[in-house]
Amino acid sequence: MSVHNENIRRVTTQRLTEMKKRGEKISMLTAYDFTMASIIDSAGIDVILVGDSASNVMCGNATTLPMTLDQMIFMATSVVRGVKRALVVIDMPFGSYQGNSREAITSAIRVMKETHGDCLKMEGGEEVIESIKRVLSAGIPVMGHLGLMPQSINKYGSYAVRAQDDEEAEKLIRDAHLLQEAGCFALVLEKIPAKLAARVAAELFIPVIGIGAGGQVDGQVLVVHDMLGLNNEFSPRFLRKYANLEAIMKEAVAHYVEDVKTGDFPNEREQY
Ligand code: KIV
């Protein structure tokens, strides 16, 4: 990865704003390692999120809460090495910014210095606005995240659709404006009614990226393991599966096991 590569026009936060202005949808996927990041970057994705969803799909945890700053930095460093064009956004993990703005800026500077990523994502509105402002004040671009915020799963008690009642919907709209006024360059809205997401996207000038938030927003994000069908146990309504890699991989591995057991692999051309 080199920001000085003149043959590739990198996606920047400014380019995302321009895309919203001209009505061009933004594509975003997660990645957690070098190989996956290289593949999805070369396929033309606009934004790669090193998400703390790694806790679920990479580590097998039930929630995103166990992810540490060190783990996020390890993954993000590998992702950045694989990316030539996309904007790389890195999730600030649970416990790295909620305490106070000093904690937030210390965590944020570590992530930016050690990973060479482009920007950060932080969950929450009013409750964490001081932390978000402090990070922004250091010249670090921040993507907001409202609606279903997986780091607050113990408060919600389930992964059900958020902001279905007027009170929560009004708070979400207020928080969205607050994040835009603070200087966030974009906002993720997760698992909320499509009508509410459409209203937020229409009211804000910053791009709004949805996951389970309908089509009337400025872009879409999915967890790459989910959209590639690597985990067939996870099938929420909002998820479209573009492949069934779980089946393809299982078949390939079973074939390999059989070839090893029967002595078919390696053959004469596959040895020295
Ligand atoms: O961690 C993650 O993958 C996310 C996306 C679901 C937006 O935050």
Side-chain angles (χ1 to χ4, degrees):
M1 196 282 305
S2 166
V3 283
H4 303 300
N5 187 332
E6 282 162 21
N7 297 320
I8 294 173
R9 188 169 170 228
R10 299 231 18 166
V11 179
T12 59
T13 58
Q14 293 80 5
R15 273 184 78 186
L16 296 185
T17 314
E18 289 161 16
M19 286 167 80
K20 169 156 182 155
K21 270 193 202 147
R22 53 172 192 268
E24 182 184 342
K25 297 274 189 184
I26 296 161
S27 60
M28 172 163 154
L29 282 174
T30 63
Y32 316 100
D33 67 279
F34 171 83
T35 304
M36 191 71 90
S38 315
I39 293 169
I40 66 178
D41 183 57
S42 61
I45 202 78
D46 296 313
V47 183
I48 292 182
L49 170 67
V50 186
D52 59 359
S53 51
S55 185
N56 310 99
V57 298
M58 299 292 287
C59 309
N61 293 313
T63 75
T64 59
L65 275 69
M67 286 317 279
T68 66
L69 205 56
D70 285 340
Q71 288 166 332
M72 292 304 299
I73 288 171
F74 172 76
M75 290 187 304
T77 308
S78 312
V79 166
V80 168
R81 283 191 209 111
V83 175
K84 294 191 171 77
R85 175 184 173 273
L87 183 81
V88 179
V89 183
I90 302 157
D91 256 339
M92 291 274 274
F94 177 69
S96 68
Y97 62 96
Q98 289 91 347
N100 56 55
S101 61
R102 180 185 287 265
E103 175 184 73
I105 191 65
T106 306
S107 305
I109 286 177
R110 251 202 86 193
V111 176
M112 296 304 286
K113 261 191 193 297
E114 295 180 34
T115 69
H116 302 184
D118 300 310
C119 32
L120 304 174
K121 178 162 80 59
M122 296 165 76
E123 292 182 10
E126 194 186 355
E127 300 78 7
V128 289
I129 199 68
E130 289 314 315
S131 290
I132 290 177
K133 281 184 179 166
R134 186 72 191 91
V135 174
L136 286 163
S137 76
I140 301 170
V142 175
M143 176 180 272
H145 183 151
L146 297 172
L148 177 66
M149 294 176 279
Q151 292 178 13
S152 301
I153 188 61
N154 292 318
K155 185 174 84 179
Y156 308 138
S158 86
Y159 286 96
V161 178
R162 302 306 311 174
Q164 299 200 75
D165 62 68
D166 289 349
E167 196 183 332
E168 195 175 331
E170 289 307 322
K171 174 169 166 35
L172 187 144
I173 293 165
R174 276 199 312 277
D175 280 343
H177 282 277
L178 201 62
L179 292 171
Q180 174 171 272
E181 278 155 29
C184 287
F185 73 90
L187 173 64
V188 165
L189 290 180
E190 181 165 353
K191 222 171 173 189
I192 62 167
K195 242 182 171 176
L196 175 61
R199 177 174 165 191
V200 175
E203 287 185 11
L204 298 193
F205 57 78
I206 59 170
V208 173
I209 318 280
I211 173 165
Q216 300 305 305
V217 288
D218 307 304
Q220 298 293 327
V221 55
L222 286 174
V223 169
V224 72
H225 287 58
D226 299 341
M227 59 82 74
L228 291 178
L230 274 161
N231 169 17
N232 284 331
E233 278 168 26
F234 185 65
S235 291
R237 190 209 290 210
F238 69 78
L239 175 61
R240 187 179 294 180
K241 293 191 182 180
Y242 288 83
N244 187 352
L245 288 197
E246 184 181 333
I248 291 171
M249 288 175 72
K250 272 187 182 164
E251 195 185 320
V253 172
H255 197 166
Y256 168 73
V257 170
E258 190 189 324
D259 285 356
V260 171
K261 300 276 184 199
T262 60
D264 185 72
F265 175 79
N267 64 26
E268 279 181 11
R269 279 172 286 113
E270 292 163 332
Q271 64 191 16
Y272 299 99

